[in-house]
Amino acid sequence: MGKYSVEEFTVDIAVDEYMERFRDEERFIKLCKVCPNYGKSWGCPPFDFDTESFLRQYCYAHLMATKITPFDKDIPIENTQILIRPERLRIERMLLEQEKEYGGRPFAYIGECLHCTDDECARRYGLPCRHPDKVRPSLEAFGFDIDRTLSELFGIDLLWGRNGRLPEYLVLVTALFHNQKKFMIR
C-alpha cells in the first residue's frame, strides 16, 4: 500500500499576479476557522501580522505541485498520511534549503505539523514555536485557492476521496516566495 509514483511540476508567477488571481483571504480564513487546528498550530491562522503586507515584500512565487499516485487503487482514506508523509518530509526539507540559498519564504503543505504532535504544539500553551526554523504555513493559510491554482496553472484537477477511499492521486502544492530575478532549481 505504501508504494507510489511521484510527478513534480513547477510554475513561476509574479506575486502580485498570483495574489490578484488566486487569493481570497476572507473566504479561506472562514474555511480555516472550522478546522480543529485553527489557532492551535504555529503553521495555521490567525497570524499576528498583516499577511498581505508580508506577501507583498516578495516579487516572485515559485509554485510546486507534487502529484502522488498510489499503485494500489483501493486505499482507505485514513491511510493518506502513509503516502503523504515521506513526500512532505522531502519537500519541506527542499523548501528550507531553497529558503537558505535564495532567501524568501516557503509555504508548505496544509495539515498536521511534522515537528510536534497536536498536544505538544507550544501555541496551545501560549508559547513561541519550538521549531521556528522548520515550521512554515500553507498557501491556504494565507488565503490562496489551491483548487484554482492546480487547475489553471498546472492543468491538474484536485480530486477528493469517495466512499472512504483515496482518489486516483493526491497533490501537494508548495511554494517559495522570493525576490531573485534569476531563480533556478537544481
Side-chain angles (χ1 to χ4, degrees), residues 27-162:
R27 176 178 169 222
F28 286 95
I29 293 303
K30 283 181 185 176
L31 294 171
C32 284
K33 285 181 178 180
V34 300
C35 174
N37 285 332
Y38 183 80
K40 296 179 183 171
S41 167
W42 281 113
C44 295
F47 299 108
D48 62 354
F49 55 89
D50 179 62
T51 57
E52 183 166 341
S53 297
F54 180 85
L55 292 168
R56 291 202 183 277
Q57 70 183 311
Y58 301 109
C59 296
Y60 310 104
H62 181 73
L63 302 169
M64 296 159 276
T66 304
K67 186 177 177 183
I68 303 166
T69 306
F71 295 150
D72 294 336
K73 299 302 176 200
D74 192 34
I75 299 174
I77 206 156
E78 59 267 9
N79 292 334
T80 303
Q81 289 305 316
I82 293 170
L83 295 170
I84 288 179
R85 186 173 176 80
E87 292 307 310
R88 275 191 65 191
L89 289 166
R90 179 185 65 80
I91 294 164
E92 290 183 20
R93 209 171 19 253
M94 178 193 68
L95 285 168
L96 292 172
E97 288 171 9
Q98 290 175 355
E99 178 181 29
K100 286 178 186 167
E101 186 170 346
Y102 300 104
R105 188 60 160 189
F107 290 83
Y109 176 72
I110 195 168
E112 66 185 37
C113 178
L114 296 176
H115 310 289
C116 292
T117 65
D118 287 344
D119 292 337
E120 293 173 335
C121 182
R123 187 168 187 180
R124 292 178 184 263
Y125 308 103
L127 300 171
C129 180
R130 292 183 180 108
H131 304 283
D133 57 322
K134 298 176 186 171
V135 175
R136 298 298 180 264
S138 68
L139 289 164
E140 295 94 328
F142 274 61
F144 289 100
D145 186 330
I146 297 306
D147 187 16
R148 283 193 53 227
T149 296
L150 279 171
S151 65
E152 293 181 28
L153 295 179
F154 291 98
I156 298 172
D157 291 326
L158 183 62
L159 302 180
W160 299 95
R162 289 190 185 147

